[in-house]
Structure formats: C-alpha cells, structure tokens
Amino acid sequence: MRRYNCAHDRVVLLSLVLVCALQWACTTVVQGGIPPSAFDFRNVVPVSQKDPSGWKVAKVKILLGRLSPAFSAAAYCDIEVGIPEINFRGPVPDGFAQLEAAAAADSAARTVLSQGIPPTAILCRSFQEEMERILSAAIPGVRVTKFLSLNVPYKTFP
C-alpha cells in the first residue's frame, strides 16, 4: 500500500499556481481600436493633369503599450501616413483611406505588441513597417513613416 505524501502534493499544487500566475502576469493586452477620424488627411502635393498624382498625409501620435499586472510600459509613436491622391487604380477618397489606415494600425499594433519588443524606437519602427505592409495591399503607393511633413497638424490617440 502506498503512503500519502502531503509534501509532494503541496509542491505540485504550488507549481501549478506559479505557472498560472506567470502566464497571467506575462499576458499582453491589446486594446484600442483607433478611430478612422484620427487619420485627418491633408493635401500636401496638388493633383496634376497626369495620373497618378497628388499626395496627402495624416499624422497621428499613437500610444503603443503593453499592459500586464507585473509590468506595464508604453511609448508614443509618431506615425505619418502618406497616400497618393490618385494612384494607378484611380482616386483614393479620404474616407476610404481613413478606414483602411485605422484597420491597418489596429492590426499592426496587435502584431508588433505580441512580439514582445520593448516600447522603444524599435517598436515604433516595427509598427510603421507592419502598418505599411498591411495598408499597401489596399492602397498601392502608401508610405508610413515618422513625422516628415511640415505644416500638417497631428492628432493624438488615445
């Protein structure tokens, strides 16, 4: 007959509790849902007689952060989205550009925050690159960079 080992059971139970606590503490929470209105596109290069032509930009300072009970950190990233007024597919309406930019920003944030990159300039650059990759499928010719254009106001989210 086997003897009951209370100490062994405590070690197993403590190990399970520790694993659950660590998993909970390391969980990354991605919230947000940047609104399309955050991308206020302004024309910076007028449309000419030739297609494609024109250029418009929207500047947004986006807070990217990782929330966890053990460690929370965040960084503001300066994002400038540049889009042709008219690309080879035709005119790019502001409303369409706003919807696509917001969806791309949300998706890019989920992707880069799940990679565990510390909130630094590297995180912001990864976010810009991922956002451009996603957005270029919907709007050819798009560029996502840090703030470059002068005399274009920016919005902050959140």
Side-chain angles (χ1 to χ4, degrees):
M1 184 175 193
R2 195 174 145 199
R3 284 182 47 163
Y4 179 73
N5 187 343
C6 186
H8 177 265
D9 289 348
R10 284 187 202 147
V11 169
V12 170
L13 182 60
L14 184 58
S15 297
L16 287 173
V17 169
L18 184 59
V19 167
C20 290
L22 285 174
Q23 184 175 1
W24 179 68
C26 295
T27 300
T28 297
V29 177
V30 178
Q31 296 180 332
I34 189 165
S37 61
F39 295 92
D40 184 18
F41 285 96
R42 305 287 177 104
N43 181 277
V44 293
V45 177
V47 175
S48 69
Q49 298 299 326
K50 299 179 183 179
D51 291 337
S53 68
W55 192 252
K56 57 188 167 189
V57 298
K59 292 167 53 172
V60 184
K61 187 178 283 277
I62 297 176
L63 179 65
L64 290 179
R66 187 171 290 104
L67 302 175
S68 77
F71 178 71
S72 296
Y76 273 102
C77 298
D78 297 342
I79 306 299
E80 181 172 300
V81 179
I83 295 177
E85 290 278 1
I86 301 171
N87 64 19
F88 72 90
R89 291 182 181 167
V92 181
D94 286 353
F96 175 73
Q98 289 175 310
L99 288 171
E100 292 298 326
D106 289 342
S107 182
R110 278 191 292 280
T111 299
V112 299
L113 289 173
S114 70
Q115 295 171 352
I117 302 169
T120 62
I122 296 170
L123 175 71
C124 291
R125 185 65 193 144
S126 295
F127 175 74
Q128 292 164 355
E129 290 169 355
E130 182 66 10
M131 188 175 167
E132 183 174 312
R133 186 189 68 74
I134 294 165
L135 193 52
S136 64
I139 305 173
V142 69
R143 294 291 174 260
V144 180
T145 63
K146 61 183 180 177
F147 289 173
L148 298 175
S149 299
L150 301 175
N151 300 323
V152 175
Y154 68 86
K155 290 192 172 185
T156 302
F157 179 80

